[in-house]
Structures are given as C-alpha cells and as structure tokens.
Amino acid sequence: MEQQPAKEPQDQLFKCFSYTSRIVDCPPSSFQPDERLAYRFTFENIDNINTFLPVSMINPQRFTPGGCPDSVLCASFGLSLYATIENARRKLKNLAKSIAKRGYNTIGTHIAEGVIDRNDGVISPIGSDGHFTLHESTNADLAAKFVVVHRVI
Amino acid sequence: MISIHGQLLPEFPLPDLKKIADLIYYDGPFLSLFSSNEGKNYFYYWCDSNDTSNRWLVFELDGKTLNDFLSKKLPLRKVIQNAIEGFVISVDIEGGFDSYKFLNPTKLSVLSLPDEYLPEEDSFYAFEPLFSQDLKHENLLEITA
C-alpha cells in the first residue's frame, strides 16, 4: 500500500484535542514531527490498558493541589518517551528507589522500544535526560509498534 | 489501598499550602514541595491509589532537612522518618485538577507507616525540580543549581 505523506503539524489532528485546545499553545508550536527510535516505560504485558494513555486520561489523576504551569498541564496530555534505552533505564531505576512501591503499578516495570514516525504526531525537543513528549495524532497506534525489550524492576 | 492505623481527623488541616515545585515527577508528581503562609516547608509524598483516589503523605520538614535532601546528603526515606514531631497526615485526594476533595485525613506516626509506602534506603535525590508558575524560592534555586 502506498504510504501517505506526513502531514505538517498544523494539519495534524491530535487525540487529546478536545482537552488541549483549552490550553494556550498546546501542543507547543516548537514541537515537530520526527522519525526516531524511542523507549517508553511499560508493563510486562504491553497490552495493559494504561500503557499508551496520557497521564491526564488515566483515572484517578495523580496531581497535587495548587495547579501547575500550562506547559506541564499540556505535557500531561502527551506520552513520555526516551531517546535511548540507557536514558529510560536510568530514570526508571531512580524512580524505583524514590517512590512508594505501589508506584510501579502506575509507571510500569519494563522498557519497550519502537520507532515513531512523522505521522504519529509531534515531539518536544529532547531534554538533557533524554526525555521527550509525543502528542499523538489521531492515527497513531504506538501499541502496535512497541515491543518490550528490557525488565528494570 | 493499604489499611493504615492512626487518628482520623474531622477535616484535612492543611488545605491552604502554596505549591512551590514538583521535586519528583514522571507523568505527574510523586513528590511536591509546599510552603505555608508562615514559611514552613511541607512535602506531599504519593504513596498509594485505588480506582477513585490517590493517597498522599503530607508532613512538615525543617529547612536543614530540605537542604540536605536536595543536596543529595539525606535519602528521602530518612526525610519521611524525620518528619517534624514524628507524624505525617495521610489524605486521599479524589477528583482532578479542576475539582477535588480531601478524604480520610489521618494523623499517624512515622513508625506506623507500611514499608510499602517508604522509598528505598538509598533514595537520594536524582531529579530536577519543576517549579510552579510565578513562584520563586531562591534557596531552592541555589541548592539545585
């Protein structure tokens, strides 16, 4: 089947648009489509219903009172990914030391690998810790692309 | 959620704390720093959840303990165990950003915390704080710079 050309960010429709449209500059205009290898925390069973859901779409929402900046609120409608398996492993190991043990049920225990492409949405610049955020397009299906490659906890 | 044993309070006694920063964050906060109008420091530390609520341990800590934690000299486990007066308040927060309720506020001794609620012995700070909008905390900025 002939592959469809990637849509420009302004032409993409995003899965969480009904929520993010209320937030100024969300997804941020600096986010761009890209094709790259990516890593995400998952559970051993990657088909877990929450594995590829943005945190703000999971009930109950984990937040502390007092609000948060729009940039953080916006990011909560995206998916956290890492540029390398080492970046992901380091973060998950540090979290495992510092959060209550039941947190594993929330963030996952394994790392999955997959390739995101320009039709999957737009991504943030990659942070110094390798983290970036993907705002998924309506057509994205990361569950079909990612496979578990590493157990951390 | 795990059953906890303490003194059930008629209402959550710390509803008006001001959020300073999320100190441990992954797809939402796990540890947040708050301040009272009197300048006292408080942590909100996530410990449990069920289908409707997240449970947080809220407790006061002194400035030295905060500094030692952020400068990686003191693990989070010790910070919790050293909570001022030796107690924390467990509170279940139901709802979302827009509307939420404090449920089951319970005062309990740090000695009675389930081990499942405590971080590891070597839980030294290894993250970057996310500051709340329009808030400055110069000491924190210096410590984490």
Side-chain angles (χ1 to χ4, degrees), chain A residues 55 61-62 64 80 97 101, chain B residues 19 27-29 54 118 120:
Chain A
V55 63
Q61 290 177 6
R62 176 166 40 82
T64 42
S80 281
K97 289 179 187 176
K101 292 164 185 65
Chain B
K19 186 170 176 176
D27 283 356
N54 282 286
L118 292 172
E120 299 289 336

Side-chain angles (χ1 to χ4, degrees), chain B residues 34-92:
Chain B
F34 283 72
S35 177
S36 70
N37 288 335
E38 297 78 32
K40 294 179 178 176
N41 303 304
Y42 290 85
F43 272 179
Y44 265 71
Y45 169 74
W46 180 92
C47 63
D48 207 347
S49 67
N50 63 15
D51 290 343
T52 58
S53 307
N54 282 286
R55 175 170 291 169
W56 297 85
L57 303 180
V58 184
F59 58 94
E60 185 186 350
L61 65 162
D62 61 40
K64 181 178 187 313
T65 300
L66 176 61
N67 285 5
D68 285 350
F69 171 64
L70 292 172
S71 55
K72 311 178 200 311
K73 294 176 188 163
L74 191 67
L76 182 56
R77 187 179 176 100
K78 290 285 184 200
V79 173
I80 296 169
Q81 291 172 331
N82 291 346
I84 285 182
E85 295 183 17
F87 73 85
V88 301
I89 293 172
S90 166
V91 64
D92 301 337

Side-chain angles (χ1 to χ4, degrees), chain A residues 50 53-64 76 105-107, chain B residues 1 26-30 46 48-56 91-97 99-101 103:
Chain A
N50 290 338
L53 269 185
V55 63
S56 277
M57 304 304 290
I58 298 172
N59 283 319
Q61 290 177 6
R62 176 166 40 82
F63 70 100
T64 42
S76 72
N105 300 335
T106 305
I107 61 175
Chain B
M1 282 198 266
Y26 178 78
D27 283 356
F30 282 101
W46 180 92
D48 207 347
S49 67
N50 63 15
D51 290 343
T52 58
S53 307
N54 282 286
R55 175 170 291 169
W56 297 85
V91 64
D92 301 337
I93 300 184
E94 182 183 277
F97 291 110
S99 174
Y100 53 85
K101 289 187 284 193
L103 302 176

Side-chain angles (χ1 to χ4, degrees), chain B residues 110-126:
Chain B
V110 294
L111 300 176
S112 66
L113 287 172
D115 195 58
E116 290 93 331
Y117 282 6
L118 292 172
E120 299 289 336
E121 297 281 357
D122 59 346
S123 47
F124 293 98
Y125 192 55

Side-chain angles (χ1 to χ4, degrees), chain A:
Chain A
M1 194 167 66
E2 188 178 348
Q3 190 169 6
Q4 295 294 312
K7 290 181 177 177
E8 292 303 311
Q10 65 271 21
D11 298 326
Q12 293 207 30
L13 292 176
F14 298 101
K15 284 185 178 176
C16 297
F17 176 78
S18 60
Y19 302 95
T20 58
S21 60
R22 302 175 204 164
I23 307 169
V24 175
D25 194 29
C26 185
S29 50
S30 60
F31 286 26
Q32 294 293 320
D34 198 2
E35 179 171 327
R36 64 172 303 121
L37 197 56
Y39 297 86
R40 178 165 170 81
F41 303 164
T42 67
F43 302 94
E44 185 171 18
N45 174 12
I46 202 168
D47 295 328
N48 183 298
I49 193 168
N50 290 338
T51 298
F52 291 99
L53 269 185
V55 63
S56 277
M57 304 304 290
I58 298 172
N59 283 319
Q61 290 177 6
R62 176 166 40 82
F63 70 100
T64 42
C68 62
D70 276 356
S71 58
V72 175
L73 183 60
C74 178
S76 72
F77 289 100
L79 295 177
S80 281
L81 297 165
Y82 287 87
T84 70
I85 193 167
E86 267 313 304
N87 294 146
R89 202 168 70 91
R90 185 178 303 118
K91 176 77 175 192
L92 189 48
K93 287 189 81 149
N94 284 336
L95 285 169
K97 289 179 187 176
S98 294
I99 65 173
K101 292 164 185 65
R102 295 199 161 203
Y104 308 158
N105 300 335
T106 305
I107 61 175
T109 52
H110 291 62
I111 294 171
E113 176 187 83
V115 175
I116 54 168
D117 66 40
R118 297 178 62 83
N119 287 310
D120 286 329
V122 293
I123 66 168
S124 66
I126 296 171
S128 58
D129 61 352
H131 176 271
F132 62 98
T133 299
L134 167 72
H135 283 272
E136 285 184 288
S137 68
T138 51
N139 297 325
D141 182 10
L142 266 56
K145 294 180 165 189
F146 276 65
V147 293
V148 174
V149 293
H150 186 66
R151 175 180 179 171
V152 177
I153 299 167

